[in-house]
Amino acid sequence: QILVAGSCVSSTGHSQVQVLEWDGDVGLKRLHLHIGMPWLNSASTNVSDQLLLLAGGESMCVLDFETGATVLAQGAWHRSLVNCPRFSNTHPALFASASLDERAALWDVRVGLQKPVWSQNLEWGAVLINWSPQDDRLLVCGCDNNIVQLSSVDGRV
């Protein structure tokens, strides 16, 4: 069993991600440490556990899970806090993001992070995005109890 744990010191924005493994004989042991990005708020692995997606502030980056090397970095497509981007449940290269900038987007790491596959403008700031079990829909939750389901194919409501 592998555990990925992230933390952020609120007074400084310094962040780190620890990768731990459960060993029944000795308990949790640290495998390696990835230094995160400033203001880390999310850490997520893809379905094959080869990639680690980090989000902090307006930025996201994808790291190689084994080495910690940056595979892709995206500076500021979102114009506000990116909340909990998540990899697809079944496709190792796809992930979705949502932000307080009132946008949700689908990304494909095979083509980079300069521009999303699609984006959808919302009328409210988003605080959570998650995939349906079959990956055909995305649930986006936002401020003031707003909720919408988007098609993962094209972002339509």
Side-chain angles (χ1 to χ4, degrees):
Q1 298 283 344
I2 299 291
L3 172 69
V4 177
S7 65
C8 178
V9 178
S10 62
S11 62
T12 65
H14 177 73
S15 305
Q16 66 179 11
V17 176
Q18 294 187 42
V19 180
L20 309 162
E21 181 178 36
W22 175 256
D23 182 325
D25 296 329
V26 296
L28 282 176
K29 61 182 181 179
R30 188 164 69 181
L31 296 181
H32 42 25
L33 176 71
H34 297 289
I35 299 300
M37 59 177 50
W39 305 107
L40 176 74
N41 70 12
S42 179
S44 174
T45 59
N46 69 346
V47 67
S48 62
D49 288 334
Q50 294 175 323
L51 299 175
L52 177 64
L53 172 61
L54 302 179
E58 299 171 1
S59 302
M60 298 180 290
C61 71
V62 178
L63 305 176
D64 180 285
F65 189 69
E66 288 297 317
T67 67
T70 300
V71 175
L72 294 168
Q74 185 272 330
W77 183 84
H78 281 293
R79 296 181 300 263
S80 188
L81 182 66
V82 180
N83 292 296
C84 305
R86 289 289 175 255
F87 271 109
S88 159
N89 296 312
T90 60
H91 197 293
L94 298 178
F95 72 89
S97 66
S99 170
L100 291 176
D101 69 1
E102 302 183 357
R103 296 189 293 175
L106 181 78
W107 303 88
D108 186 335
V109 299
R110 297 169 298 182
V111 296
L113 299 182
Q114 305 306 341
K115 180 179 162 188
V117 174
W118 58 255
S119 65
Q120 177 63 259
N121 290 322
L122 308 167
E123 295 179 9
W124 33 268
V127 296
L128 178 73
I129 191 164
N130 211 350
W131 296 81
S132 67
Q134 297 79 26
D135 285 344
D136 59 331
R137 309 288 293 164
L138 290 160
L139 180 68
V140 184
C141 303
C143 301
D144 300 322
N145 296 323
N146 286 296
I147 297 175
V148 68
Q149 282 192 51
L150 304 175
S151 165
S152 63
V153 174
D154 57 14
R156 285 183 293 131
V157 176

